Amino acid sequence: MSSIGTGYDLSASTFSPDGRVFQVEYAMKAVENSSTAIGIRCKDGVVFGVEKLVLSKLYEQGSNKRIFNVDRHVGMAVAGLLADARSLSEVAREEASNFRSNYGHNIPLKHLSERVAMYVHAYTLYSAVRPFGCSFILGSYDQDDGPQLYMVDPSGISYGYWGCAIGKAKQAAKTEIEKLQVRILLEPSLRQGKILLNCLICVCYCYQQMKDMTCRELVKEVAKIIYIVHDEVKDKSFELELSWVGEVTNGKHELVPKDVREEAEKYAKDSLEEEDDSDEDNM
Amino acid sequence: MAAYMSAGRSENAFSTHDFVPEWAQEEVSTGTTIMAVEFDGGVVIGADSRTTTGAYIANRVTDKLTPIHDHIFCCRSGSAADTQAVADAVTYQLGFHSIELDEPPLVQTAANLFQQMCYRYREELMAGIIVAGWDKRRGGQVYTVPMGGMIVRQPVSVGGSGSSYIYGFMDSNYKPGMTKEECLHFCTQALALAMERDGSSGGVARLAAITEEGLERRVVLGHQLPKFSNT
């Protein structure tokens, strides 16, 4: 639904006649140009997956991170203009650190995401500055609140999610996330050619299922989703960045260990091949 | 006017005038006995009710148990002015923080706010505070913030000038796992003993029990306090 707002899109301090702030919408388009990042919340933690497009073979592997540590128990996955995202990660770090310094305990994620969202929103009010051209997903795990997942977009709004995706393949990724458990349920019946009619019941059952997964199971599914939504034709090679925070890491947000990542990537590649094979059978 | 409290120090830099009595030149102090005890499901706090300026008892029915939030209280000892000012500031900060977070504040947060102020202004302040209350995450908690601005969580804590006389009683009579009534009884006895021996503590014993349901306040009047000697 893109439209050109000629004349009303020169600064963030101008509304268009139909009530839109075009600068903010353009900022969101900048996010859509970037590669995909997803975050999913499960029973005992949160997993992030980022499709990091490799623009040059000369890049050192593992550099140019898209997932940041904001506090010991909070991680942040970004999409959009990376420089903007890095500066926001510093803002988030300061907020979390000041909170701990003033109040003596871990910052609740809802509060952190509201504070950073407020900061992002401030840049959508004035013509002297431009809005931030990045969206980010914040995830945390804490003994008392459990796993939490919030997403902030350039308009300065923050929502809590069970699973969300940002970046160029966000629609496809969201569909995959919703399908996550349906596929598991439907797999055996599909092979027999049955069709499940009541999708609504499935989706509800899905959310029940997603909430029951552990981090270890979810890491593989996240890797698979990134592999599925990656466009082999338009984009070349990519590096998969995976991180998690939950019971499995004792509440510490960190990049997934090498062996777990390799296992997840193997699972993802194998499932993709399987799907290709099953397509052939149907033909 | 220098107010001077339970520590028993005189810091009078002002010269004495004949037309103002000495006690009017002393600082108003809550030379005091305060205490707090954790139990499963809440805390019991207690304090005496005497405020002195020198040897004169300025208020014999003081309430040293100050509410900071619905389920969080503080017991004040030291300079009356200093502790009231700090308590007011923390009440404001905690109220704001609670609204921002949209949930009741943690006792630990309140204690940390006290600690930060007491440490930052340690040279100017004379305040020994016990922060106690109930929150959903960790139940009943007692944090002591003595003069100087340290903070430590303890299952039972005493403070003020009268506390020196009841450390032995506390150590020998406190048992973990007491019920609310046992804690109230324990506090009453401890306060009575301290009030008996410490000149800067006396009046009535004020007690409060804070649980999830809310607050229950009690007053034990002078003649109702337990007596420990035969004379």
Side-chain angles (χ1 to χ4, degrees):
Chain A
M1 294 282 176
S2 63
S3 65
I4 305 174
T6 329
Y8 300 106
D9 60 348
L10 293 175
S11 82
S13 65
T14 313
F15 274 105
S16 76
D18 50 346
R20 297 152 75 169
V21 182
F22 279 101
Q23 278 296 309
V24 173
E25 296 192 15
Y26 294 163
M28 299 208 242
K29 283 193 197 149
V31 177
E32 278 163 36
N33 287 338
S34 131
S35 62
T36 322
I38 65 173
I40 308 186
R41 180 177 149 190
C42 65
K43 182 175 69 164
D44 61 352
V46 171
V47 179
F48 287 131
V50 178
E51 171 204 12
K52 234 172 32 175
L53 295 178
V54 176
L55 297 170
S56 158
K57 290 201 189 94
L58 297 173
Y59 279 148
E60 189 186 340
Q61 205 202 33
S63 72
N64 228 25
K65 285 204 183 354
R66 298 254 310 260
I67 301 183
F68 304 101
N69 239 325
V70 165
D71 197 349
R72 186 183 180 271
H73 65 304
V74 179
M76 172 170 157
V78 305
L81 299 177
L82 281 192
D84 288 8
R86 292 211 180 113
S87 116
L88 278 174
S89 77
E90 275 303 308
V91 168
R93 282 169 183 157
E94 266 186 62
E95 279 293 334
S97 168
N98 282 340
F99 184 96
R100 186 192 293 280
S101 167
N102 287 333
Y103 303 112
H105 65 92
N106 286 348
I107 188 167
L109 195 67
K110 178 165 184 282
H111 190 237
L112 174 64
S113 77
E114 279 171 1
R115 295 283 299 183
V116 188
M118 220 191 303
Y119 187 89
V120 170
H121 171 249
Y123 282 73
T124 67
L125 298 170
Y126 310 105
S127 58
V129 293
R130 63 162 175 81
F132 284 93
C134 64
S135 288
F136 51 94
I137 312 175
L138 290 163
S140 84
Y141 179 80
D142 152 307
Q143 284 286 355
D144 305 296
D145 297 326
Q148 302 276 320
L149 187 68
Y150 282 83
M151 196 259 278
V152 179
D153 73 7
S155 65
I157 207 163
S158 96
Y159 285 119
Y161 286 89
W162 279 104
C164 68
I166 49 180
K168 60 172 60 146
K170 75 168 186 230
Q171 266 313 115
K174 277 190 192 150
T175 317
E176 290 301 321
I177 296 174
E178 284 169 23
K179 270 204 268 168
L180 194 63
Q181 279 69 32
V182 181
R183 196 175 298 125
I184 295 172
L185 288 176
L186 283 184
E187 211 103 83
S189 34
L190 266 179
R191 293 238 163 89
Q192 296 160 30
K194 286 186 193 153
I195 304 163
L196 271 168
L197 291 167
N198 203 335
C199 297
L200 215 63
I201 295 179
C202 291
V203 173
C204 296
Y205 196 4
C206 287
Y207 281 126
Q208 196 49 48
Q209 286 275 60
M210 187 143 66
K211 291 174 196 181
D212 293 330
M213 275 190 155
T214 64
C215 272
R216 286 198 185 275
E217 297 161 10
L218 193 57
V219 167
K220 294 195 276 199
E221 298 299 333
V222 165
K224 183 170 158 200
I225 292 175
I226 295 282
Y227 269 83
I228 291 172
V229 303
H230 173 68
D231 190 340
E232 279 295 335
V233 176
K234 282 201 204 141
D235 305 316
K236 289 139 240 165
S237 61
F238 76 102
E239 213 183 288
L240 173 62
E241 205 174 319
L242 283 171
S243 80
W244 59 3
V245 59
E247 282 259 16
V248 64
T249 64
N250 244 328
K252 179 167 181 278
H253 174 259
E254 53 190 27
L255 288 179
V256 152
K258 191 151 169 274
D259 54 327
V260 181
R261 183 163 56 86
E262 284 170 4
E263 188 195 343
E265 287 194 274
K266 184 170 174 304
Y267 172 83
K269 287 182 190 151
D270 289 345
S271 324
L272 274 184
E273 278 174 19
E274 229 180 71
E275 291 210 355
D276 289 343
D277 288 343
S278 71
D279 283 343
E280 283 174 24
D281 285 346
N282 288 341
M283 302 238 294
Chain B
M1 296 282 166
Y4 132 57
M5 309 264 290
S6 49
R9 285 172 8 225
S10 239
E11 260 178 33
N12 244 326
F14 301 88
S15 53
T16 30
H17 299 282
D18 289 332
F19 44 85
V20 179
E22 278 219 25
W23 56 258
Q25 291 158 30
E26 300 275 348
E27 185 171 354
V28 177
S29 123
T30 51
T32 265
T33 313
I34 52 173
M35 65 187 295
V37 191
E38 279 175 25
F39 66 91
D40 182 21
V43 292
V44 165
I45 55 177
D48 74 305
S49 69
R50 182 171 290 182
T51 314
T52 52
T53 38
Y56 175 67
I57 299 175
N59 186 354
R60 62 186 173 100
V61 285
T62 325
D63 185 7
K64 301 176 190 177
L65 307 174
T66 313
I68 303 295
H69 206 264
D70 296 342
H71 291 85
I72 307 177
F73 267 65
C74 77
C75 310
R76 300 179 293 111
S77 76
S79 153
D82 288 353
T83 54
Q84 282 179 5
V86 171
D88 285 348
V90 172
T91 305
Y92 166 77
Q93 289 176 349
L94 199 67
F96 190 80
H97 171 72
S98 169
I99 297 278
E100 262 193 323
L101 244 51
D102 198 22
E103 53 179 59
L106 301 178
V107 186
Q108 189 189 17
T109 308
N112 265 287
L113 289 172
F114 268 107
Q115 185 261 343
Q116 283 184 8
M117 201 164 291
C118 290
Y119 180 71
R120 181 180 296 230
Y121 300 109
R122 55 183 293 163
E123 303 303 326
E124 288 93 347
L125 290 174
M126 191 151 42
I129 293 174
I130 301 180
V131 184
W134 179 91
D135 65 40
K136 202 166 62 151
R137 277 193 201 189
R138 301 204 198 127
Q141 297 147 73
V142 170
Y143 294 87
T144 181
V145 183
M147 272 184 249
M150 116 161 146
I151 181 171
V152 70
R153 182 181 171 186
Q154 296 177 308
V156 60
S157 183
V158 295
S161 61
S163 67
S164 335
Y165 306 102
I166 52 172
Y167 277 106
F169 176 79
M170 179 184 90
D171 289 337
S172 56
N173 284 66
Y174 171 73
K175 298 175 303 298
M178 292 199 280
T179 65
K180 183 175 84 162
E181 282 305 321
E182 286 172 338
C183 288
L184 283 161
H185 180 67
F186 169 71
C187 283
T188 316
Q189 291 203 305
L191 289 170
L193 284 165
M195 282 152 73
E196 182 70 29
R197 285 292 180 179
D198 180 28
S200 313
S201 304
V204 303
R206 291 199 191 278
L207 299 154
I210 308 166
T211 58
E212 182 173 7
E213 284 82 59
L215 178 68
E216 186 203 321
R217 293 196 82 139
R218 284 192 204 173
V219 181
V220 182
L221 298 176
H223 64 278
Q224 294 167 336
L225 284 169
K227 290 185 183 42
F228 294 91
S229 67
N230 293 324
T231 51

